[in-house]
Amino acid sequence: MSNLKAVVVGDAMIMGDGFEQAARKNLGAYFSDVKMGNWEEDYPKLQERRLAVEKQGPEIEVVPEIVAKEGKDASLLAGLFVPVSSKVMDAMPNLRIAGVARAGLENVNVAEATKRGILVFNIEGRNAHAVSDFTVGLMLCESRNMARAHYSIMNGEWRKKFSNSEWVPELKDKVVGLIGFGYIGRLVAQKLSGFGVQLAVYDPFVDEAVVKEFGGRLVDKDTLFREADFVSLHARMSEATKGIVGEHELSLMKPTAYLINTARAGLVNEAALIAALKANKIAGAGLDVFSDEPLKADSEFPKLDNVTLTTHIAGTTREALTRSPDLLMEDIAKFLKGEQARFIINREVLENPEFKAWLAGVK
């Protein structure tokens, strides 16, 4: 058994004891000492802090208390939203592996980790089924006025007339355009196949043959926005995809088409979307993510009658949360055993002399 130390940091979404159990279960042969703490245990505050980190990066945060106390001689740091900043790395001079139990890497300074010879892990697909389920549900909820009808009943009304009453759609034969065709996008395509939709995909990084396997066709971005009855976003957030849905794209959409976003708020120019919805240039939108969460008091979104709004819950299911620490620790364990690990982000670190020397000592 290697006599190594790990620090695991939970939060209000997944508490530290979940990470500790997963670490002891999967990494006990390597890490005999596991120290556990929590970053932010208040759920509303966690949402505020993690959103700020996603916008501005992990360097805006201070070093978590557990890291400052226990991190000096630890070689592994793992958590969910814990900010892995240069300051955290300074506090953990022996850090060699940093892992987050999520697909997004906004809370990790990957460039700095790579520079310092720290191998970074994330996990993809932990909430893919949750998000893809929710996406299909949001398409139906918005286009079929489910939330609005519910609201009317709860307020003593029996509403039957809606802004889209003249063209309330069925999904059969409708064109669903997917922006991004990674794991979640493919699950959405798979789950929609039973509805008999036509599938159009825009993704510069996917092979046409892969799209055809799912019964779809690969198209350029403008074609997708022109032809789609539903546009659903599943792209990663990056400089290249920031504001990928703006005034131009919205102007191409049919007046009977819907925009669905369960991915990242930054993919959409919100001002342009609000203007399009106000002018009924598109039929409606289903949104689970926003640039400000919670919405500000003066937000225009709640004033609109052609939107379905949810509180960033698409990926939040019991299964998605409870299995995340195990998925992360299992993959790190595979790597340490010399097996093929799926979720290494910066493989160039494997050639770092200091990292190679550390790894040789572990094995």
Side-chain angles (χ1 to χ4, degrees), residues 133-151:
D133 287 352
F134 199 91
T135 298
V136 177
L138 200 51
M139 287 181 186
L140 291 167
C141 190
E142 167 55 28
S143 64
R144 299 297 301 276
N145 302 296
M146 294 179 185
R148 285 181 282 276
H150 171 82
Y151 181 84

Side-chain angles (χ1 to χ4, degrees), residues 128-238:
H129 277 284
V131 174
S132 56
D133 287 352
F134 199 91
T135 298
V136 177
L138 200 51
M139 287 181 186
L140 291 167
C141 190
E142 167 55 28
S143 64
R144 299 297 301 276
N145 302 296
M146 294 179 185
R148 285 181 282 276
H150 171 82
Y151 181 84
S152 76
I153 292 174
M154 297 299 286
N155 285 274
E157 302 174 3
W158 192 261
R159 186 176 177 185
K160 300 281 282 186
K161 183 72 175 177
F162 303 96
S163 61
N164 66 342
S165 288
E166 295 181 8
W167 59 80
V168 173
E170 296 179 358
L171 288 183
K172 181 175 171 55
D173 295 327
K174 297 300 184 295
V175 177
V176 175
L178 302 179
I179 304 290
F181 205 60
Y183 187 33
I184 293 177
R186 296 175 198 191
L187 283 174
V188 171
Q190 182 185 75
K191 291 171 183 181
L192 284 171
S193 63
F195 288 91
V197 304
Q198 300 178 49
L199 187 68
V201 172
Y202 170 70
D203 189 327
F205 305 104
V206 71
D207 291 334
E208 186 174 10
V210 174
V211 177
K212 286 183 176 179
E213 286 179 17
F214 286 82
R217 56 195 171 93
L218 195 62
V219 299
D220 62 77
K221 180 157 66 79
D222 282 7
T223 297
L224 185 145
F225 278 92
R226 276 195 299 265
E227 296 184 359
D229 298 292
F230 294 85
V231 175
S232 189
L233 306 181
H234 304 287
R236 287 290 184 87
M237 188 64 215
S238 68

